[in-house]
Amino acid sequence: MLTRILKGSILASFFLIFTTNSTASEAIHLSFSDADIQTLQQVANEPMWHLLLQLKNGHPITNDTSVYLGDSFVSPLEEAKNTIRLFRNDIVNVCNYPARLRLLKRYLPEFEPILPSTLCTEYRRFIENVPVDSITLIYASENVTSASSMMGHIMLRLDGTNENGIPVRHGITFFTELNSLNVPNIMYETLITGKEGVFKVAPFDEFEQFYLYEEQRNIWRYTLNFDENQRSFLRDYIWELGQQSPAYFFHIFNCATVTQLLVNIARPKELNEVASWLTPLDVVKFAQSHSLVASTEFVPSNKWEITTLEKSIEDKRTSTISSHLAQAQLNSLSLSFIETKYAQALNQYFRSTQTIPEEHYQKNSSEIAEFNTQYSHLSLDVSELPVPSTRQQEGYIGVGIKHLDSRAFMAFRAFPVARRLADDNRSMIGETELILADFEFRVGVEQDNLGDIYVDKAMLYQMVSRVPVTQDISNWSSSFNIGINRVLSGDKQRKLIVQSEFGLGFTREDMQGLGIYSDIIIGAGANNSDAFVYAKPVVGLYAYTKLNNKLAVNFSRTYNQYGSGEHIDAASFSLHQYGLKNIALDFEVNVQKVASEYESTASFMLGYRF
């Protein structure tokens, strides 16, 4: 996700790399009195101690042992004993565990005089250069074209004044590097074996520039109301996390997991209620539901502003503004407030794509600043924009009725984490989808097939990104999937195949909430007896209505599916209703034609989001 940052100028900036210099092998086997055991049992029962040890309901959240002093985790009490032994063996060892020391001071007076800021040089440099006067939770919206960012990204920002009296902002983030286009291998490593994780403390502005201008993601900032003691604990825990080398797992130890641990510093008792599979939106919702958010700020990307504002300006006018920006002659125009915001976003976008030289950008910026002065009393109204915390949960389990050629079935569908094309995507640029481990099956309910089970889909990974083109932005829409799917063959039989598809196309939104698209999909499929390559052109449209729902229509023609000489035409109509908390209502009709024969499917699904 942050490969460019890691390999670019941020490496030349101040950041911290921590190494662990002490292990349990350094600790001597000290014995403990009954009084010591009683005290340490109190420590072991502390919710904060469990948080520092990354425990939920008394068990480690991953199988990674780097956080523990022994070769493996035994118990919270045993880890407390090992920590005391380590500190008593050599007091310098507290430099690696200032958060544990801070907690132990509440119970063991012998450690009260110990000050890591005096004893530990590297730790002292850290707290001097990374002040924590305020804490902000940062949510960057989805980037479905990046495998490690397809559910968005979450991190913390620490603000304050350093020892030299200079205001500074630092980002705290955890991620993995994905330098391969081999999606199956990426999924295997991030779900099964774990990939090398990177925990990073670095100047925040580089992160924000990367998200806003390089990846064109919207950003939400949530100022957290931590008190001074909580901020100090968080700072010390960040130091401890920086010394570990945890493996990155997409589902159980990702950017959301690490950020959730840090946010739970203010609510350690609530760690047990946090789900095992966390997404960035889960962290945002946790902070808001536990009254940790003092204020919220929305920072849109240039593409989002351009795409959104363009719909409120006549095409001829947007062309005029674009050409004047290209020639740095904006002062010859009279701009309205909306046009000024549009020009500002387009000027920044032109700079990020190197469409205009730097001197033109600077001249345009100066002229736009004069327009902004005229409209200083105005601001864009984004109150109707769906915010992250109002979105439905990302897990899904659904049940419904499906009629296939007039035969009835009970239908079931489930996936652990996803964002569907069927969902409300109005806060995004265009329509996006990401579904992992999507499983669909149906059960016969008629006399001749009662209880028979038919698997229709077992997809490992499905991604769609339909980003609208604009007058000045030529976006490609794209899609990719891999897994098992039941498809119609040329002899009108439904057969399971292993398939993988890749598609490219264009999407256009001429009106707010109304889009049309066209894609060309190339796929490959196989089963135990056949293998084939096929092509599928697709056209469709989607429209959000005033009834808070979305209509979608799709037409396609598939050539050589299942190696058949007959092409297969398909048409679908779907209706998706919104406004019900964590409830998804979907109605869909599909018709497929092979030669002169038709197959029709109608389904209604009631889904629960969790």
Side-chain angles (χ1 to χ4, degrees):
M1 177 192 63
L2 297 176
T3 303
R4 179 160 183 174
I5 285 184
L6 287 171
K7 295 180 179 178
S9 60
I10 202 167
L11 280 177
S13 306
F14 168 79
F15 69 94
L16 303 171
I17 299 177
F18 311 112
T19 57
T20 303
N21 297 314
S22 59
T23 66
S25 61
E26 296 180 34
I28 60 176
H29 295 285
L30 298 173
S31 60
F32 296 95
S33 67
D34 290 343
D36 286 336
I37 295 297
Q38 290 180 358
T39 301
L40 290 180
Q41 187 61 61
Q42 290 181 289
V43 174
N45 293 336
E46 263 275 1
M48 185 68 80
W49 184 250
H50 284 231
L51 186 148
L52 297 179
L53 300 184
Q54 299 175 17
L55 305 177
K56 275 185 57 186
N57 298 310
H59 301 286
I61 60 178
T62 74
N63 58 3
D64 181 22
T65 60
S66 64
V67 66
Y68 308 117
L69 296 179
D71 294 332
S72 62
F73 173 75
V74 178
S75 69
L77 177 60
E78 190 63 27
E79 191 68 18
K81 291 179 182 179
N82 286 337
T83 303
I84 298 300
R85 291 185 181 114
L86 188 70
F87 290 177
R88 287 175 177 172
N89 181 44
D90 187 346
I91 199 60
V92 173
N93 289 326
V94 302
C95 296
N96 294 321
Y97 301 98
R100 293 193 189 192
L101 175 65
R102 182 178 292 273
L103 181 58
L104 290 174
K105 284 184 176 182
R106 297 177 181 176
Y107 296 92
L108 299 170
E110 67 178 285
F111 294 119
E112 288 183 3
I114 301 171
L115 300 175
S117 59
T118 301
L119 184 64
C120 315
T121 303
E122 293 301 318
Y123 171 78
R124 182 172 64 252
R125 288 175 55 196
F126 168 66
I127 63 175
E128 289 174 347
N129 287 281
V130 186
V132 192
D133 297 337
S134 68
I135 303 169
T136 303
L137 185 65
I138 303 294
Y139 170 74
S141 63
E142 299 93 328
N143 177 20
V144 296
T145 60
S146 172
S148 66
S149 309
M150 50 202 172
M151 299 307 297
H153 186 70
I154 196 82
M155 62 186 297
L156 290 181
R157 190 188 79 196
L158 309 183
D159 295 18
T161 303
N162 66 16
E163 62 169 342
N164 298 317
I166 301 173
V168 292
R169 306 192 304 175
H170 287 88
I172 315 298
T173 188
F174 179 72
F175 56 94
T176 189
E177 290 190 76
L178 301 179
N179 296 322
S180 170
L181 296 177
N182 187 343
V183 173
N185 185 62
I186 288 174
M187 299 303 294
Y188 178 76
E189 289 185 331
T190 57
L191 290 173
I192 307 300
T193 63
K195 256 186 95 59
E196 181 181 358
V198 180
F199 182 80
K200 193 174 180 66
V201 181
F204 176 75
D205 289 348
E206 297 265 1
F207 291 106
E208 188 165 72
Q209 294 289 315
F210 179 79
Y211 290 133
L212 282 176
Y213 302 118
E214 295 289 330
E215 294 197 331
Q216 289 293 321
R217 300 205 232 173
N218 294 340
I219 288 178
W220 280 263
R221 302 169 179 164
Y222 301 90
T223 303
L224 303 181
N225 53 7
F226 279 39
D227 60 32
E228 183 176 357
N229 181 60
Q230 291 165 345
R231 294 197 303 270
S232 297
F233 242 119
L234 179 133
R235 175 197 63 199
D236 290 347
Y237 192 37
I238 288 171
W239 175 264
E240 289 191 14
L241 287 173
Q243 299 179 80
Q244 302 161 18
S245 301
Y248 179 101
F249 289 89
F250 183 84
H251 56 313
I252 57 173
F253 205 85
N254 52 34
C255 66
T257 313
V258 172
T259 306
Q260 182 72 61
L261 287 170
L262 294 172
V263 169
N264 270 101
I265 290 289
R267 297 288 188 273
K269 292 181 180 179
E270 276 71 47
L271 184 61
N272 288 339
E273 72 182 46
V274 173
S276 297
W277 188 320
L278 285 173
T279 69
L281 280 181
D282 289 329
V283 184
V284 173
K285 291 178 179 180
F286 177 91
Q288 292 203 320
S289 64
H290 289 81
S291 304
L292 294 176
V293 177
S295 62
T296 304
E297 182 181 5
F298 172 59
V299 185
S301 67
N302 298 148
K303 276 190 178 182
W304 187 90
E305 280 196 285
I306 294 167
T307 303
T308 302
L309 296 176
E310 187 181 70
K311 297 167 187 174
S312 302
I313 307 172
E314 294 182 356
D315 290 346
K316 185 176 180 180
R317 188 63 173 168
T318 58
S319 297
T320 300
I321 295 172
S322 177
S323 62
H324 279 67
L325 285 170
Q327 300 171 33
Q329 295 179 350
L330 209 59
N331 57 355
S332 62
L333 294 178
S334 176
L335 301 181
S336 68
F337 171 68
I338 295 295
E339 290 172 340
T340 299
K341 292 300 180 184
Y342 174 79
Q344 182 173 313
L346 190 58
N347 188 46
Q348 292 171 340
Y349 179 75
F350 281 165
R351 183 198 197 189
S352 65
T353 58
Q354 300 182 340
T355 303
I356 59 176
E358 180 66 20
E359 56 268 25
H360 282 195
Y361 167 79
Q362 295 294 344
K363 187 172 184 294
N364 290 334
S365 296
S366 177
E367 292 165 357
I368 290 170
E370 294 181 12
F371 284 112
N372 277 328
T373 301
Q374 300 176 30
Y375 303 117
S376 59
H377 60 293
L378 298 177
S379 62
L380 291 174
D381 181 11
V382 294
S383 59
E384 296 185 2
L385 173 69
V387 297
S389 58
T390 63
R391 293 182 190 170
Q392 290 184 323
Q393 298 293 98
E394 292 160 315
Y396 176 95
I397 183 168
V399 61
I401 296 293
K402 177 178 287 190
H403 282 266
L404 178 58
D405 272 351
S406 300
R407 301 185 71 193
F409 300 85
M410 287 289 293
F412 302 88
R413 186 183 186 188
F415 43 75
V417 58
R419 181 157 189 80
R420 310 179 304 161
L421 282 175
D423 292 338
D424 188 345
N425 285 290
R426 282 174 288 188
S427 64
M428 304 296 297
I429 303 176
E431 298 289 292
T432 64
E433 174 175 274
L434 168 75
I435 305 180
L436 301 176
D438 186 8
F439 186 64
E440 291 186 43
F441 69 97
R442 53 194 159 92
V443 179
V445 296
E446 297 185 345
Q447 186 174 359
D448 63 341
N449 66 358
L450 186 63
D452 291 347
I453 298 175
Y454 305 85
V455 175
D456 285 328
K457 181 185 290 186
M459 300 298 290
L460 175 65
Y461 177 93
Q462 298 170 213
M463 179 275 284
V464 178
S465 175
R466 293 196 177 120
V467 182
V469 298
T470 71
Q471 185 171 271
D472 296 289
I473 304 175
S474 299
N475 294 305
W476 284 98
S477 296
S478 61
S479 62
F480 176 81
N481 65 57
I482 184 170
I484 297 172
N485 196 15
R486 188 178 293 276
V487 302
L488 193 66
S489 64
D491 57 0
K492 204 187 174 187
Q493 298 295 314
R494 283 182 162 267
K495 301 179 181 179
L496 281 175
I497 64 169
V498 176
Q499 75 170 45
S500 181
E501 294 182 340
F502 175 76
L504 283 177
F506 291 97
T507 302
R508 179 79 184 184
E509 287 188 357
D510 290 318
M511 295 175 56
Q512 186 73 36
L514 175 63
I516 58 174
Y517 60 88
S518 62
D519 300 318
I520 297 293
I521 295 173
I522 302 297
N527 62 10
N528 58 0
S529 60
D530 297 286
F532 54 95
V533 176
Y534 57 93
K536 181 166 61 176
V538 179
V539 296
L541 64 87
Y542 55 88
Y544 291 90
T545 78
K546 293 183 178 180
L547 298 177
N548 198 22
N549 55 31
K550 177 166 61 177
L551 304 174
V553 180
N554 181 290
F555 302 93
S556 68
R557 169 170 285 185
T558 307
Y559 296 93
N560 201 49
Q561 181 163 291
Y562 218 90
S564 170
E566 296 283 352
H567 60 257
I568 299 175
D569 292 327
S572 70
F573 169 84
S574 60
L575 172 65
H576 312 287
Q577 185 64 49
Y578 310 127
L580 303 173
K581 183 178 180 181
N582 293 328
I583 298 295
L585 296 176
D586 304 303
F587 174 75
E588 186 170 352
V589 175
N590 291 279
V591 178
Q592 296 190 79
K593 176 178 177 289
V594 182
S596 60
E597 296 187 64
Y598 291 86
E599 179 197 81
S600 62
T601 306
S603 63
F604 172 78
M605 294 290 290
L606 172 64
Y608 174 69
R609 305 304 294 260
F610 62 93

